Amino acid sequence: DYVQRGVKGLREARNHMKPVREFFGPRRAIGVTPGLAREYIANRKRSVRIVGGKRIVGVANATINRELELLGRAFRFAVFEGTLTVAPAIPSLPENNARRGFFDRHEVESLVPHLREPLFSMVQFAYSSGWRLGEIRGLRWEYVDRCAREVRLPDSKNGEGRMLPLDETLWVLIERCWTRREFKRPSGATALSEFVFHFRGRPTPETT
């Protein structure tokens, strides 16, 4: 259904569905209850993953909510299609999206010389644009108009598109990123990354 309707963020939705399928996949739909969803939450809170060589325990509330939202949508779609007669209530967790830890210019200027690419450019872009980390990590070249010197996001966190004019600072930064698009695949072949701030061709990990 998502593919047919051209829903934005399909790749992210597929990633969110992986742990949902692993936990709920073997079960019958009629057996999915709010209690089982809370068991899923507890499991995700205890889960362990390796990011950038570091062992991280637990998943953020926002991530768990996005996963369970997809599960809830799947049930509502099943009811709409007539496959099921009722959808279970899916609990959610509190989220705190308040932004904290803003840097002053002198703090940024003292920080960036100690960073390697792509973090060097990401921090400069974040300070100049005010964009969120997720928007910066996922920024693709298809959204950058180098002729018009602007970036156009088709969708953002509030559900609306966004246009960012590139002033001289941002323009120099984007052009620097343009020159480092190339990366080598494990096979040794050279390719061009579709992401502006890439790490070996992929979005930069949250911990690098």
Side-chain angles (χ1 to χ4, degrees):
D1 177 63
Y2 271 27
V3 172
Q4 290 177 349
R5 294 192 290 114
V7 173
K8 297 183 179 70
L10 181 59
R11 180 179 300 181
E12 182 179 11
R14 284 173 171 158
N15 289 335
H16 283 322
M17 282 303 299
K18 290 179 182 177
V20 175
R21 285 198 178 98
E22 290 175 2
F23 184 88
F24 293 99
R27 308 172 190 271
R28 298 182 64 192
I30 196 172
V32 177
T33 62
L36 189 62
R38 284 190 286 271
E39 183 180 334
Y40 173 81
I41 291 173
N43 284 349
R44 293 294 279 156
K45 286 291 188 180
R46 294 192 299 265
S47 64
V48 177
R49 66 192 193 281
I50 304 299
V51 178
K54 296 181 180 179
R55 184 174 181 269
I56 298 178
V57 179
V59 179
N61 285 6
T63 298
I64 297 174
N65 283 345
R66 300 298 84 74
E67 295 166 356
L68 290 177
E69 283 173 6
L70 287 169
L71 178 67
R73 291 175 189 173
F75 270 101
R76 291 193 295 274
F77 185 72
V79 172
F80 176 79
E81 291 286 292
T83 307
L84 297 176
T85 57
V86 64
I90 304 296
S92 62
L93 298 172
E95 295 183 35
N96 181 9
N97 293 322
R99 301 194 200 183
R100 298 185 294 250
F102 284 102
F103 278 28
D104 292 328
R105 176 174 291 278
H106 75 276
E107 293 175 314
V108 173
E109 291 176 347
S110 63
L111 171 67
V112 291
H114 303 284
L115 300 176
R116 295 180 298 175
E117 290 288 9
L119 295 182
F120 178 86
S121 295
M122 290 176 69
V123 169
Q124 288 186 316
F125 188 91
Y127 181 79
S128 298
S129 67
W131 282 18
R132 296 175 182 271
L133 175 61
E135 296 173 326
I136 296 172
R137 290 182 62 241
L139 181 61
R140 300 170 185 267
W141 283 112
E142 63 185 284
Y143 301 144
V144 179
D145 187 336
R146 295 173 64 239
C147 293
R149 291 198 177 193
E150 60 188 27
V151 178
R152 304 189 191 97
L153 282 186
D155 195 7
S156 60
K157 192 174 182 67
N158 62 8
E160 300 177 356
R162 181 183 304 178
M163 192 272 286
L164 173 69
L166 299 175
D167 60 20
E168 192 61 30
T169 299
L170 286 173
W171 173 248
V172 171
L173 186 156
I174 288 294
E175 287 296 284
R176 182 170 68 237
C177 292
W178 180 259
T179 64
R180 58 175 302 275
R181 291 173 298 146
E182 286 191 1
F183 71 98
K184 285 192 174 182
R185 300 186 185 278
S187 64
T190 300
L192 296 178
S193 176
E194 61 183 308
F195 296 95
V196 176
F197 305 102
H198 73 93
F199 181 74
R200 298 173 183 171
R202 303 298 303 160
T204 304
E206 293 189 16
T207 55
T208 303

